[in-house]
Amino acid sequence: MDISSPAAFVNGGLLRMHVGRKVRTVLQVIRSDIASVMGKSTDGFQVVAKGSPPVPLTSYVEVIGVAENENTIRAELWTNFGDTFDGSNYDQLCRLANGEFKHLFL
Amino acid sequence: MQANEFDGNAAFSGGGFMPSQATQTAPERPFSSSKNSDARSLLPLTVKQLKDLSRGGESDISIEGVDVNNIVLVGRVSKIDNAVSECTFRVDDGTGWVECTKWVHEHVDSVEVDAISVGMYVRVYGQLKSIQSRRTVHTFSIRPVTDYNEITNHFIECIYVNLYNTKLRGGMTTQPRMTNSIGGPQVANSNFGDPGKGYGYQANLTNQYNTDEQIRGISSMVLQYLRRPACLASEMGVCSDVVARELNVSVDKIRQTLEFLASEGLVYTTTDDYYKFTDA
């Protein structure tokens, strides 16, 4: 068991709190190329994930990686989350996981 | 009122997985005597919570007053070791990873194990075991996650059960900070006294919020204050003392309000006692 390298749940607004650290977020893909995905975070910010996105991509993709700055993630792991993901639930979870219930996550 | 129609109990305990059914029917029973039923309960947990358990006493594995025995985790498989009679998975839920062992005795077990691959999200039901101070999960069932909303749901359930066991059961909190916030033990106790009301904690919270004009007033004042450009610009956010001074309200009330706003996701804490508006 090891908790030394957690990936914090973030939305676009919370990304800035974790610059330089490991994060996980779900993006709604706006456009993608071979080395990056530009997507909309669950709270409506534009976020870029750099790395090698999977082909094909679904509408929603989860990225786990290091927050490079307040709108870029260097993605290490990509997971297609399908086309019917509930972004607003995820957004609320991000807020709770960085607020009152942070001790359950980080 | 619409909020009244929300039944938190029905919404969250659907599968009968709530950790302490016994306390719902006999809430006045002292905690110690409900241990037997707690021991059979199924707790949704994060790996971080499991790790925090390990730091505590070795003899009695419990969290927020509930014995930890059967647990459910949702995470990504990051490693698989296949042996003749057992299969060991490393399940990473983003808060950390834990080793889960599945014994393979019958054909049905190997079918279940073969369906799992590295990189896949899975839901693991198992029993927490301690072997030579090492914690592992003896897996009853490991299933691929097919709907990714399950991941969000699992963590929200972890939060709900934590809240339920710390706040709503009342008194037995291990988080002293949380007992001060709105909807604390008093609400829980009044709820226990009237089982017909159910455990719709969200409904209660909302009702109290709506009827308590005073706190409502302070909430909007605090939000307005935190939305000011100067407050938004500050990386650290604003200390609750400063908010109290600026708004000329007692620090206690401001702290209560800020904690409530944080629980609603409208503000968040940066460091201890410093708050920022969420949609900055």
Side-chain angles (χ1 to χ4, degrees):
Chain A
M1 196 188 312
D2 180 53
I3 57 161
S4 59
S5 169
F9 277 103
V10 294
N11 56 24
L14 291 161
L15 198 52
R16 72 181 69 176
M17 283 169 62
H18 298 276
V19 171
R21 291 200 295 262
K22 208 165 145 189
V23 294
R24 65 193 300 191
T25 194
V26 174
L27 300 176
Q28 190 174 9
V29 178
I30 298 170
R31 62 169 182 270
S32 65
D33 57 42
I34 196 162
S36 72
V37 164
M38 153 97 65
K40 196 172 85 175
S41 67
T42 52
D43 54 347
F45 287 83
Q46 276 205 358
V47 173
V48 176
K50 297 197 294 191
S52 329
V55 184
L57 273 169
T58 56
S59 306
Y60 291 91
V61 65
E62 183 201 47
V63 294
I64 301 176
V66 175
E68 230 165 48
N69 55 46
E70 61 179 50
N71 53 26
T72 312
I73 297 170
R74 199 167 63 246
E76 288 151 16
L77 299 168
W78 304 75
T79 310
N80 274 323
F81 265 21
D83 299 325
T84 56
F85 187 72
D86 189 329
S88 57
N89 269 353
Y90 190 87
D91 196 56
Q92 292 298 323
L93 172 61
C94 292
R95 289 163 200 235
L96 290 169
N98 284 277
E100 194 184 342
F101 296 94
K102 198 171 177 177
H103 59 284
L104 304 184
F105 295 86
L106 296 175
Chain B
M1 185 184 294
Q2 208 179 11
N4 270 331
E5 285 161 29
F6 180 84
D7 183 349
N9 195 28
F12 285 96
S13 67
F17 293 155
M18 283 309 295
S20 47
Q21 298 284 333
T23 54
Q24 296 191 14
T25 49
E28 69 286 353
R29 257 194 325 179
F31 163 65
S32 54
S33 65
S34 67
K35 268 198 165 175
N36 278 339
S37 53
D38 282 342
R40 288 193 298 270
S41 69
L42 180 65
L43 277 176
L45 292 176
T46 66
V47 175
K48 168 72 172 20
Q49 287 177 286
L50 283 183
K51 185 72 181 178
D52 289 346
L53 297 174
S54 319
R55 289 193 196 124
E58 282 294 317
S59 54
D60 192 19
I61 311 172
S62 71
I63 186 164
E64 288 117 23
V66 179
D67 283 357
V68 177
N69 190 14
N70 297 337
I71 60 167
V72 52
L73 302 169
V74 172
R76 196 177 166 281
V77 176
S78 58
K79 192 179 169 191
I80 300 178
D81 282 326
N82 251 313
V84 178
S85 61
E86 62 172 274
C87 189
T88 309
F89 304 89
R90 186 177 281 190
V91 174
D92 187 330
D93 75 349
T95 71
W97 58 259
V98 64
E99 232 138 56
C100 304
T101 308
K102 169 87 184 170
W103 299 97
V104 181
H105 296 303
E106 294 173 35
H107 180 64
V108 64
D109 297 324
S110 50
V111 169
E112 191 175 336
V113 161
D114 288 344
I116 310 299
S117 57
V118 170
M120 197 177 254
Y121 272 97
V122 291
R123 178 177 279 271
V124 178
Y125 296 95
Q127 192 170 32
L128 188 64
K129 292 278 183 188
S130 215
I131 304 163
Q132 292 167 348
S133 81
R134 218 173 113 235
R135 292 263 150 88
T136 58
V137 177
H138 277 200
T139 307
F140 305 143
S141 148
I142 180 163
R143 309 247 163 91
V145 165
T146 48
D147 181 335
Y148 291 95
N149 289 304
E150 264 188 63
I151 299 168
T152 318
N153 250 40
H154 168 75
F155 289 105
I156 291 173
E157 207 181 4
C158 291
I159 290 174
Y160 175 71
V161 170
N162 174 270
L163 185 79
Y164 180 85
N165 286 328
T166 51
K167 272 196 198 173
L168 300 187
R169 284 177 97 194
M172 296 175 310
T173 176
T174 53
Q175 306 284 331
R177 191 181 67 86
M178 291 168 67
T179 55
N180 296 330
S181 67
I182 300 159
Q186 306 92 319
V187 174
N189 290 339
S190 66
N191 220 355
F192 284 156
D194 182 6
K197 267 179 154 178
Y199 281 75
Y201 83 96
Q202 288 193 330
N204 270 313
L205 221 58
T206 318
N207 287 349
Q208 197 188 7
Y209 180 48
N210 284 345
T211 51
D212 197 338
E213 290 294 330
Q214 198 186 12
I215 284 172
R216 194 178 175 183
I218 299 174
S219 295
S220 66
M221 269 160 62
V222 169
L223 275 182
Q224 264 175 21
Y225 178 74
L226 289 178
R227 274 195 198 124
R228 286 186 196 174
C231 299
L232 294 177
S234 154
E235 187 130 302
M236 285 273 284
V238 187
C239 182
S240 58
D241 294 337
V242 176
V243 180
R245 198 168 55 234
E246 288 286 327
L247 298 177
N248 203 15
V249 179
S250 80
V251 179
D252 275 355
K253 273 190 185 140
I254 289 292
R255 288 221 173 107
Q256 242 186 19
T257 309
L258 281 167
E259 274 181 17
F260 173 72
L261 290 172
S263 75
E264 292 290 296
L266 294 165
V267 300
Y268 62 86
T269 45
T270 54
T271 56
D272 269 352
D273 228 22
Y274 278 77
Y275 290 84
K276 261 194 91 135
F277 182 59
T278 309
D279 276 330

